[in-house]
Amino acid sequence: MVADEEFDVVVIGSGMGGLAAARAIAQFGGQKVLVLEQHYTLGGMTHEFSRAGRFQFGTGLHYISANAGPFLEFMTDGRVQLSPLPDDYDVLHFPGYDFAIPATKERFRARLAEQFPAETGAIDDFFKTTRRAMTGLAARNVFASFPAGVRKMGFPIVRSLYPSAYRSLRDQVTRSFRDPRLQAVLSARWGLYGTPPASSGFGYHAAVPLTFFMEGTAHPVGGPKELGRIILEILDTYGVQMRPRQRVGEILVERGRVSGVDVEDTATGRRYRVRTKTVVSAAGVRNTYAMIGKSEELAGLPGEPSAVMLFLGMDRSPAAFGIRGENHWFMPDLDDHEGFHRPPGEGTLYVSFASLNNPAARYHTVEALELVDPDVVDQWRGTPEEERPESYRKLKEELTARLIGRLEERWPGFRDTIAFAELATPLSFETFQHSVLGSFYGLAATPERLRSARAGCRTPVKGLFVAGQDAWGSGVVGALAGGLMAANAVLKPRQLGTMWRTVRAGGPLRDPAKPWQGYLRVAAIEALSPSVRRIRLEPLSPGPMPFSFAAGQYVKVDLPVAVEPIERSYSICSGPGETGFVEIAVKHEPDGLGSGFLHEGVEVGEALRVSGPHGEFTWAPDDVAETLLLIAGGVGITPLMSVLTAAADAGHQGRIVLLASYRTWDEALFRPEIAALRLPQLEVSIVLTGHQGRIGEDTLRPYAGPTTRVHLCGPAPMMQDLIGHLTALGVPREAIHTEAFVSGRSKETRREKAHAIALAAAAAGITSYSIGLEDSAFPCPPGDSVLVAANAADVDLPQSCGEGACGTCRVRVLSGAYETDPRGMFSADELAAGWRLACQTLPTEDLVIAR
């Protein structure tokens, strides 16, 4: 065991419950929080995995309420985007009878009354009972977050006031209805929390399928991983440390109080101890009690179900079979109250079609889930995956064939469209979730759980709390609520008021000074030339763009060209006065991954992740320069087209000169748009470099002078030459604004250089370089750029894009060796004087710089 570390709070597990607790405690308690995750990916059941280089599968989140509510809004700062499922979002298939669940409780009640008119009064009474049971569950869970004395007093009161919450689901529906079909419809979907009707507490059924999903359902745009990505990014801003591949072996207890945790880094084998007085475990009640050596205290709680889940990659869209994105539930009979009495593969089957509900999905997938007794794999439990015998592989093959057969029976021809299939068993969930016997939903949702003092966020050990599904209820949002309950137990009373006011308010208002991040839909694609396309991006739902921008700015776009997307920057060519969309122009570069995708892969209707606006290459109508000189090389005209449009929209009366160079006339962009601009003093000159050569000093002389403002965008060699010509003609350097092309390859080159520098420094025993600035210095780890090191040391350097496109982070290197790429942002004289871009400069020894 190596030397101890110390944190105010340790959170075990990075599922939604653990992350919710970590954020709330860090944000409202101001405490130093460490999150330890045993898996190699943070985010719990929001993470995804890929197969066959193209299919993306979620691991647990299939759909959520269309009205995400304040909890999810709070956790994502209002940034999560949801794509609604069809109005009939759950279709139930019984032998000889189907029933579609519509969005909204009013429509659901009306449809039930229409199909079961003899029981209309009973249906109304049932929904009243549902409300009371839901209230009872919430009251019980809130009491469970209080100290033992309050729990002991409150639990009996809740049981007496809300007895329906503690009945079994089967008991409640048989009390309420005579018609077995109506009983079956309202008992169905118990798979949303995992306990069959004969055993489940009605409070859980009232909360999940009959309340939470009643206003319609939705799927996160970008998939479950987008939800996790947003939340992890936010936690980082609150200083929460998050470590994957960290297995907690024991929660240390001294004199009845938590004192720390013993941890193994499974990537390196390193063992260490973290001292803390507060531990929040989102690893489940059973794992938590095992880590304090008190598993026997849970003996009275029933065992939990596990699952088999079939992941299918499709060659065709499921829409070819008439599926619109709704979920399908296949029940083997009307009386499926026991749940697990049938052989695996023949029980209640849930089928979802995430790719139809995620506009960012590029390939179609299907997921089919059946809850099973974990004992179906008992004979192979405890054996490493690579050592499991042929009998286990045969079981998986038989289950896969059985499940596909059920889908084929419903949709003939379905089997032939399957390109990939993989089955997860209880052993898979046991391995990757680290859940006891592969439990899928945590503790069984039974009346025994409701009555147990051990099922909640409090434990008998002072300073030890439970978050996640076991602290509230099933699913991602249930786990989130459980995390907030744990935070409610940890924080001081004066901090709780602020927390709950903030949570109830949902996400904060977006800071317009910061770039927006989210998904936009490709609305139109148009060829401007043989090698350039204009692409229009608009909001996913009707309405204005989620951000405004200044003429000359750009957006960053994540392009799904591989399992992990690549980010590229593209200038906006539409005017800032257009509020319904933005447009970018993209040149198809030879072997360019990003441009190749946008020319050959993207389709109208697809959603792309975008952030923006970015950049300082801007012009505003209040500019007082005598001449606005716009110089473009090829597709470099893109941001200048936005400037021209903004000038025309503002009724600009000053002199504007556009010098645009292309190799051939066919490559000249935006000719009709420029001709249609209402700019009385616009002068346009097209220079064809194949015939006339490059723009030179003679071309610039009539327009360049001390009162000229220049916007220059094009290839690096062109810009370097023109900066020199313009300064020679008397244009002040601060009046020359530049924007450079940044290709994916140039980014890769910088990464490769950084890696080589780091390796060389490590071989030489060098751990840091010193960068002197004025009367101080700051460290720079080998491989970091000057800008990255300055930001890490809180040294203020001018900056914007961070990738060498805007030219904002200009510094002068006075001494020392380095690797760099000037990106055409400087004239030859400026380069000779030591001017460089801080974001592109990688020290190879100590440097001295000036601003």
Side-chain angles (χ1 to χ4, degrees):
M1 190 75 63
V2 300
D4 295 353
E5 299 182 44
E6 189 168 340
F7 281 82
D8 297 328
V9 179
V10 171
V11 175
I12 304 171
S14 69
M16 190 65 70
L19 297 181
R23 173 175 176 175
I25 293 167
Q27 179 177 351
F28 303 107
Q31 300 193 54
K32 184 180 176 185
V33 181
L34 171 66
V35 177
L36 299 170
E37 168 58 52
Q38 60 90 26
H39 197 272
Y40 52 79
T41 301
L42 297 166
M45 298 300 276
T46 66
H47 85 259
E48 300 179 18
F49 67 93
S50 63
R51 289 292 186 267
R54 53 179 174 150
F55 300 116
Q56 292 283 131
F57 297 103
T59 54
L61 193 163
H62 295 99
Y63 63 145
I64 59 177
S65 172
N67 177 13
F71 287 3
L72 195 60
E73 287 286 297
F74 161 72
M75 276 302 290
T76 63
D77 281 356
R79 289 166 50 188
V80 65
Q81 294 171 277
L82 300 177
S83 177
L85 270 68
D87 280 347
D88 287 351
Y89 61 88
D90 274 335
V91 179
L92 313 180
H93 304 287
F94 301 96
Y97 176 66
D98 293 346
F99 187 94
I101 309 289
T104 80
K105 187 173 291 186
E106 292 70 28
R107 291 178 59 204
F108 186 29
R109 183 189 289 112
R111 186 168 295 177
L112 288 170
E114 177 186 354
Q115 297 200 22
F116 304 97
E119 304 226 40
T120 299
I123 291 168
D124 290 338
D125 291 342
F126 178 79
F127 279 103
K128 292 176 184 176
T129 303
T130 295
R131 283 197 299 272
R132 290 190 61 79
M134 168 64 189
T135 302
L137 177 72
R140 181 267 172 206
N141 286 343
V142 170
F143 270 111
S145 73
F146 293 145
V150 180
R151 294 201 308 273
K152 186 175 181 180
M153 176 187 68
F155 275 11
I157 295 173
V158 174
R159 284 200 298 273
S160 65
L161 290 176
Y162 305 101
S164 60
Y166 293 78
R167 296 179 189 135
S168 73
L169 171 58
R170 179 169 63 180
D171 182 13
Q172 185 59 58
V173 295
T174 54
R175 284 173 182 241
S176 297
F177 307 111
R178 297 186 303 275
D179 192 312
R181 291 194 306 169
L182 180 54
Q183 293 175 5
V185 166
L186 288 168
S187 296
R189 300 186 296 158
W190 57 267
L192 291 170
Y193 54 88
T195 306
S199 306
S200 60
F202 181 62
Y204 293 105
H205 197 77
V208 184
L210 298 182
T211 299
F212 184 62
F213 287 121
M214 274 294 92
E215 295 308 310
T217 58
H219 189 274
V221 177
K225 69 176 183 301
E226 180 68 7
L227 193 60
R229 187 198 63 78
I230 291 171
I231 292 170
L232 293 171
E233 185 179 285
I234 293 169
L235 260 67
D236 189 59
T237 67
Y238 288 105
V240 176
Q241 287 195 36
M242 294 169 281
R243 300 177 187 171
R245 300 179 186 269
Q246 308 297 304
R247 180 170 297 150
V248 177
E250 183 180 357
I251 299 171
L252 305 174
V253 180
E254 297 176 4
R255 297 177 183 175
R257 182 175 187 88
V258 161
S259 62
V261 293
D262 281 346
V263 189
E264 178 189 2
D265 183 333
T266 58
T268 64
R270 171 178 172 261
R271 296 177 183 271
Y272 60 100
R273 176 166 292 174
V274 181
R275 290 289 179 183
T276 183
K277 293 182 178 179
T278 304
V279 171
V280 176
S281 174
V285 163
R286 293 196 187 277
N287 280 326
T288 303
Y289 277 68
M291 286 186 279
I292 58 173
K294 293 180 178 289
S295 294
E296 71 282 355
E297 295 191 12
L298 305 177
L301 291 172
E304 299 82 39
S306 186
V308 292
M309 188 182 297
L310 180 63
F311 302 95
L312 300 175
M314 311 296 287
D315 276 339
R316 293 171 61 197
S317 169
F321 299 95
I323 300 163
R324 298 177 300 127
E326 70 280 2
N327 305 300
H328 288 258
W329 296 78
F330 297 89
M331 271 65 66
D333 51 46
L334 289 177
D335 186 16
D336 189 30
H337 289 159
E338 298 300 331
F340 308 130
H341 61 285
R342 292 176 177 271
E346 297 181 11
T348 294
L349 180 66
Y350 164 78
V351 186
S352 69
F353 304 88
S355 59
L356 292 179
N357 299 309
N358 177 12
R362 303 213 64 233
Y363 301 99
H364 286 290
T365 58
V366 177
E367 294 167 20
L369 181 144
E370 179 182 332
L371 293 164
V372 299
D373 193 308
D375 66 7
V376 299
V377 293
D378 270 356
Q379 62 182 297
W380 303 287
R381 183 164 277 117
T383 58
E385 182 178 4
E386 63 277 5
E387 296 178 13
R388 286 172 192 153
E390 179 67 17
S391 56
Y392 179 70
R393 186 188 64 80
K394 186 177 180 182
L395 171 76
K396 293 182 68 172
E397 288 179 351
E398 290 174 351
L399 280 175
T400 298
R402 197 174 301 162
L403 294 175
I404 291 175
R406 295 177 71 178
L407 302 180
E408 176 72 17
E409 183 179 355
R410 179 69 192 182
W411 299 293
F414 195 90
R415 181 187 286 110
D416 295 336
T417 69
I418 297 172
F420 170 84
E422 181 174 325
L423 185 80
T425 74
L427 296 182
S428 309
F429 296 109
E430 190 173 339
T431 298
F432 292 105
Q433 283 184 231
H434 198 55
S435 56
V436 175
L437 301 181
S439 166
F440 194 72
Y441 282 120
L443 291 176
T446 62
E448 291 89 344
R449 172 178 169 180
L450 289 173
R451 290 190 288 266
S452 173
R454 296 291 180 258
C457 66
R458 293 276 182 173
T459 74
V461 176
K462 291 181 180 180
L464 175 60
F465 306 91
V466 173
Q469 295 185 115
D470 287 352
W472 188 273
S474 64
V476 167
V477 177
L480 195 165
L484 293 178
M485 285 296 101
N488 188 81
V490 170
L491 293 172
K492 294 179 172 60
R494 59 182 172 79
Q495 297 164 337
L496 292 176
T498 303
M499 182 185 90
W500 288 115
R501 283 193 299 271
T502 304
V503 170
R504 282 196 297 270
L509 294 175
R510 188 179 78 85
D511 183 354
K514 295 181 179 179
W516 176 85
Q517 298 180 49
Y519 283 84
L520 298 175
R521 192 187 309 276
V522 177
I525 301 172
E526 177 190 1
L528 297 179
S529 76
S531 61
V532 177
R533 277 182 148 190
R534 174 164 49 195
I535 298 174
R536 176 174 294 183
L537 302 170
E538 67 180 15
L540 297 179
S541 302
M545 285 290 295
F547 62 87
S548 58
F549 63 93
Q553 289 191 295
Y554 64 92
V555 293
K556 296 179 180 180
V557 185
D558 282 355
L559 304 174
V561 300
V563 173
E564 291 297 325
I566 60 172
E567 183 185 84
R568 294 291 184 265
S569 299
Y570 297 104
S571 294
I572 300 170
C573 58
S574 51
E578 176 55 64
T579 60
F581 59 82
V582 294
E583 292 178 328
I584 59 176
V586 181
K587 182 181 180 182
H588 193 179
E589 299 288 350
D591 302 320
L593 279 177
S595 65
F597 170 77
L598 290 175
H599 274 257
E600 300 169 355
V602 74
E603 297 179 356
V604 171
E606 189 170 345
L608 298 175
R609 189 170 181 277
V610 174
S611 72
H614 300 275
E616 304 294 329
F617 186 65
T618 58
W619 178 86
D622 58 2
D623 175 59
V624 296
E626 184 176 296
T627 298
L628 176 60
L629 176 57
L630 309 177
I631 308 174
V635 77
I637 195 174
T638 301
L640 305 183
M641 192 63 216
S642 183
V643 171
L644 288 169
T645 304
D649 289 346
H652 188 72
Q653 299 297 308
R655 185 190 190 198
I656 302 179
V657 177
L658 172 64
L659 301 179
S661 66
Y662 305 95
R663 285 178 294 185
T664 66
W665 186 252
D666 288 343
E667 296 177 356
L669 304 176
F670 301 112
R671 283 176 286 162
E673 291 84 351
I674 293 170
L677 291 170
R678 295 186 177 182
L679 289 168
Q681 293 201 64
L682 174 63
E683 303 173 39
V684 179
S685 178
I686 305 296
V687 177
L688 301 179
T689 57
H691 301 287
Q692 301 161 271
R694 293 182 177 179
I695 298 172
E697 195 167 317
D698 290 341
T699 309
L700 298 171
R701 185 169 285 108
Y703 318 114
T707 59
T708 301
R709 177 187 176 104
V710 178
H711 282 245
L712 169 61
C713 184
M718 167 193 166
M719 293 205 304
Q720 180 176 325
D721 290 345
L722 290 180
I723 291 170
H725 295 325
L726 289 164
T727 54
L729 291 169
V731 179
R733 184 61 180 86
E734 62 272 15
I736 303 173
H737 304 268
T738 53
E739 185 96 319
F741 296 162
V742 179
S743 70
R745 183 58 199 154
S746 62
K747 291 182 181 179
E748 283 300 313
T749 301
R750 188 181 69 185
R751 292 191 190 103
E752 291 165 4
K753 288 180 179 178
H755 184 61
I757 289 169
L759 289 177
I766 299 171
T767 59
S768 180
Y769 298 119
S770 173
I771 301 179
L773 175 64
E774 297 163 351
D775 295 328
S776 62
F778 58 91
C780 179
D784 279 1
S785 70
V786 170
L787 184 62
V788 167
N791 288 338
D794 293 325
V795 174
D796 186 23
L797 291 182
Q799 58 189 284
S800 177
C801 72
E803 58 187 32
C806 67
T808 304
C809 59
R810 295 158 49 93
V811 296
R812 191 177 177 197
V813 180
L814 303 179
S815 66
Y818 53 89
E819 297 270 4
T820 194
D821 179 355
R823 296 287 169 90
M825 292 293 188
F826 305 102
S827 68
D829 289 343
E830 288 172 325
L831 290 172
W835 287 102
R836 300 291 185 268
L837 296 175
C839 69
Q840 300 300 307
T841 300
L842 307 168
T844 56
E845 62 182 36
D846 294 346
L847 298 185
V848 177
I849 65 173
R851 281 181 273 219

